[in-house]
Amino acid sequence: MIEESSPEVDSSGSKDLFDAFFNDVYADAVLYVSMRAPAGDVGDIVGKAFKAVFERWGTIQKPRSYLYATLRHGVFERYEEMNREARFRRDCVASRPPHTHPDPADLVESKEQLEEVLNAVQQLPERMREIALLTLDNYKPREIADQLGIARSTVTTQLTEANRRLRKMLGIEQRSGGTRRGTHD
């Protein structure tokens, strides 16, 4: 049932006014959020903000101000959610028993090589990087899949691709007897 104050039944043409408002500020709203939130969250934050404006269209005195306040709130909520997820991951890692594998940083021969590895990891796509880093924290593919809400096969595929990309970026060749660094000359 549509309420009488909704733009769809308002005989004064407020739906047309909302549509004009939407068309006028949509691109600016997307730009505003894209400068403040992760790219994957922009559409969701902007969509929810415009929905909130639409639902209150007949009662809002300053729609642009209301929209931007709602966008700021949406960005803030997303970062709060990301902080909660990071705390959860940190707490999960802290509650795990100590791992028996050597620390990957101990395997790197020099500070320059460590920096090269870290730069290469940062170049991986966000999801692939996240999976690779969880693996370095000794999470099993099944645990990563459960934590991220994705299929185990996706985790395995992402790890294989991350390994291939990192080897290529770092100039490491796969040999039958092990690995060796390639020359960059």
Side-chain angles (χ1 to χ4, degrees):
M1 177 176 180
I2 300 173
E3 297 176 4
E4 288 186 9
S5 64
S6 80
E8 294 171 347
V9 295
D10 191 341
S11 61
S12 67
S14 65
K15 182 174 183 333
D16 292 336
L17 290 174
F18 176 82
D19 289 344
F21 169 76
F22 177 86
N23 291 330
D24 185 43
V25 299
Y26 178 77
D28 291 337
V30 169
L31 179 62
Y32 176 85
V33 174
S34 66
M35 293 172 55
R36 291 163 175 79
D41 298 324
V42 172
D44 188 45
I45 293 169
V46 171
K48 286 178 181 178
F50 272 105
K51 181 177 185 265
V53 171
F54 180 78
E55 290 172 344
R56 293 164 184 81
W57 184 252
T59 61
I60 299 173
Q61 300 222 349
K62 297 180 179 179
R64 184 180 286 266
S65 296
Y66 184 86
L67 173 68
Y68 279 91
T70 306
L71 291 170
R72 280 190 304 277
H73 182 72
V75 170
F76 175 77
E77 280 185 335
R78 178 59 187 128
Y79 279 104
E80 284 295 306
E81 181 181 329
M82 289 168 55
N83 285 335
R84 281 191 302 275
E85 290 171 359
R87 282 191 304 272
F88 173 75
R89 285 191 188 112
R90 186 182 61 240
D91 292 346
C92 286
V93 170
S95 67
R96 294 174 57 99
H99 61 282
T100 58
H101 303 289
D103 185 356
D106 292 340
L107 301 175
V108 179
E109 295 175 3
S110 70
K111 182 180 177 184
E112 293 80 20
Q113 286 178 325
L114 177 59
E115 289 174 2
E116 186 179 0
V117 170
L118 292 175
N119 287 334
V121 170
Q122 288 300 320
Q123 293 177 37
L124 294 174
E126 184 177 340
R127 177 52 61 102
M128 190 179 292
R129 180 175 59 242
E130 182 177 25
I131 291 170
L133 292 174
L134 286 170
T135 300
L136 289 175
D137 283 338
N138 288 324
Y139 282 91
K140 305 283 186 254
R142 176 186 39 80
E143 295 170 318
I144 296 170
D146 291 344
Q147 186 173 356
L148 299 178
I150 58 177
R152 183 173 182 261
S153 61
T154 301
V155 172
T156 305
T157 301
Q158 290 287 305
L159 286 172
T160 301
E161 182 61 17
N163 189 10
R164 185 192 68 75
R165 289 184 184 194
L166 289 171
R167 287 181 177 286
K168 184 176 180 182
M169 284 188 269
L170 297 170
I172 299 173
E173 300 174 25
Q174 182 68 40
R175 295 273 193 191
S176 60
T179 61
R180 73 175 183 86
R181 286 188 62 89
T183 58
H184 296 286
D185 297 323

